[in-house]
Amino acid sequence: MLMYLIGLNVQGGRIQASIPRSIFNKYGNSVEEFKMYIISNFIVQDKRIKTLAAQHKWTLTFSIRTVVELVEEPNFPLNQFRFINISELLTADTIDGSQLIDIIVEIVGKEEPREVTPQGGRPTKRLALKIQDVEKNTIEAVLFGDMVEQIQPHLKDGRVEPLIVVLQFFIAHRWKGEVISGPQ
């Protein structure tokens, strides 16, 4: 049995995740509808099977190394994703800085974290990342505060596999003619 999972965005757009037949017994009973999970070590692929349920070009595929953890008490709303491609940001005439976006990317570069103090605020950490989508489009993303601490362990040197992340609730801006993204 091959299992397909569908995630929705606020505009009704969907992205598909699949559990291959060969590893279904490992994951098939651990994923339930209307539950929230932290899923890591999955594969992002060009979708081979076009379905009406998910028109998105990419699919998330479980592997034998995929880890699925149930989030017992989510402390944030179970909002739908609004996935976009970096190419949409790069080709946009204007960028609406009030829209929250979600994006699946690989982290391909980073600066060292540094302390910053926003005007009238308290000191926090800042981390600039270079992110790339599966079409090889790149932009910069900036993380602040707790997000820097959360991602640091995954950015260790010597990592063999690419670091794929889903960034949710980000705002895109143009700065010095370049598109950058940061958390809301």
Side-chain angles (χ1 to χ4, degrees), residues 59-112:
T59 187
L60 308 178
T61 304
F62 283 48
S63 76
I64 194 70
R65 296 182 54 209
T66 299
V67 177
V68 179
E69 299 174 65
L70 176 65
V71 177
E72 293 290 344
E73 296 182 33
N75 59 2
F76 54 93
L78 298 175
N79 293 331
Q80 300 169 340
F81 290 102
R82 184 183 175 278
F83 286 116
I84 65 159
N85 295 318
I86 291 177
S87 61
E88 292 177 55
L89 295 173
L90 294 173
T91 59
D93 291 332
T94 60
I95 294 179
D96 182 354
S98 66
Q99 278 193 346
L100 298 177
I101 62 171
D102 306 321
I103 195 162
I104 300 173
V105 294
E106 176 182 354
I107 297 177
V108 294
K110 67 178 179 75
E111 294 179 359
E112 288 302 314

Side-chain angles (χ1 to χ4, degrees), residues 5-6 8 31-37 70-72 74 78 80:
L5 311 167
I6 304 296
L8 301 174
V31 179
E32 297 177 36
E33 286 185 313
F34 305 111
K35 302 273 180 150
M36 178 177 282
Y37 299 91
L70 176 65
V71 177
E72 293 290 344
L78 298 175
Q80 300 169 340

